[in-house]
Amino acid sequence: MEIYNFSKEAITSVEELREIVGVPHELIIKKSISFIDDHCKRFISMSPLLFLSTSNSEGKCIVSPRGDSQNLVKILNKQQLVIPDRSGNRRLDSMINILSNQYVGLIFIIPGLEGVLRINGRGTIIKDKEILNDMSLKGKSPFLGIGVDVEECFVHCPRALKESKIWSSETWQNPENLPSIMDMFHSHLKINGVELDE
């Protein structure tokens, strides 16, 4: 397999990028606010799913989905929110990243709504029981949470979700044709030399 050299036709400056794409309209720049207003609060309260983006001190990035039937996020005030850390695979990729680089990006999604809410800020891993006990799910409180000091909030245009028709069930694949997560999991283990008994 030939590896393509992306640097051959790479954009290397903001000036070159702007020359091709142009500049955003003033309204697009000014839609960003620095706190959680009532509109953002309502959006967050209706969102059962968010995507958390982090990177480590070397700039290596990950995006992690976080979802709950309830208590997905607790808003403490106009500048702070908390994401509970539910029991999972214990990889802790996002939290380990936050220990070396506090900057986080969040995307909140509401089923059926094509626009999304983006929030940027700084994350801190917390173990404050007073906060976390108030975020219990099925009778179990999280041991840890990610406290976010909010620096920027804005709605993102609906183009991606609209054009992908993600909420339109007639575009969904037949379940029998979907990738098997377990098959992928076992295959990737095998690539790394781990064989599981059938």
Side-chain angles (χ1 to χ4, degrees), residues 2 10 18 26 29 34 39-40 50 58 80 98 109 140 145 179 182 185-186 198:
E2 183 180 353
R18 286 295 180 201
E26 180 185 19
I29 295 172
S34 60
H39 294 291
C40 293
L50 68 84
E58 298 174 351
Q80 296 175 306
I98 289 170
I109 292 178
K140 188 173 182 180
M182 287 308 295
F185 178 58
H186 290 163
E198 294 293 331

Side-chain angles (χ1 to χ4, degrees), residues 23-175:
V23 295
H25 191 280
E26 180 185 19
L27 298 180
I28 301 301
I29 295 172
K30 291 194 173 178
K31 71 178 180 177
S32 173
I33 61 175
S34 60
F35 62 96
I36 304 168
D37 71 348
D38 288 340
H39 294 291
C40 293
K41 188 174 182 179
R42 181 165 181 249
F43 196 112
I44 292 168
S45 73
M46 298 177 74
S47 172
L49 176 67
L50 68 84
F51 291 88
L52 168 65
S53 173
T54 61
S55 63
N56 64 17
S57 59
E58 298 174 351
K60 294 180 180 177
C61 306
I62 65 160
V63 178
S64 173
R66 305 290 170 118
D68 273 336
S69 57
Q70 61 186 34
N71 292 340
L72 176 60
V73 164
K74 182 177 180 64
I75 298 172
L76 299 181
N77 51 59
K78 289 188 174 185
Q79 296 296 155
Q80 296 175 306
L81 59 82
V82 177
I83 305 164
D85 185 59
R86 304 296 183 195
S87 298
N89 58 23
R90 300 190 182 113
R91 280 184 58 111
L92 303 176
D93 296 321
S94 300
M95 291 197 174
I96 290 170
N97 280 352
I98 289 170
L99 289 175
S100 63
N101 178 359
Q102 282 192 293
Y103 287 103
V104 300
L106 308 174
I107 287 184
F108 289 88
I109 292 178
I110 298 175
L113 184 65
E114 291 169 340
V116 302
L117 175 65
R118 290 173 55 178
I119 292 184
N120 298 316
R122 294 175 184 252
T124 302
I125 302 168
I126 66 167
K127 55 182 180 180
D128 188 322
K129 284 186 170 43
E130 186 177 346
I131 294 173
L132 298 174
N133 286 344
D134 197 35
M135 304 184 78
S136 64
L137 186 64
K138 298 176 182 174
K140 188 173 182 180
S141 298
F143 295 119
L144 301 170
I146 300 171
V148 177
D149 289 294
V150 172
E151 297 178 350
E152 184 177 38
C153 303
F154 59 96
V155 288
H156 194 92
C157 78
R159 184 189 180 284
L161 273 66
K162 183 177 182 179
E163 293 301 319
S164 68
K165 296 181 172 55
I166 191 72
W167 303 128
S168 177
S169 59
E170 21 330 326
T171 69
W172 295 353
Q173 298 283 335
N174 184 320

Side-chain angles (χ1 to χ4, degrees), residues 173-184:
Q173 298 283 335
N174 184 320
E176 294 176 1
N177 297 331
L178 294 176
S180 164
I181 299 301
M182 287 308 295
D183 285 351
M184 293 175 69

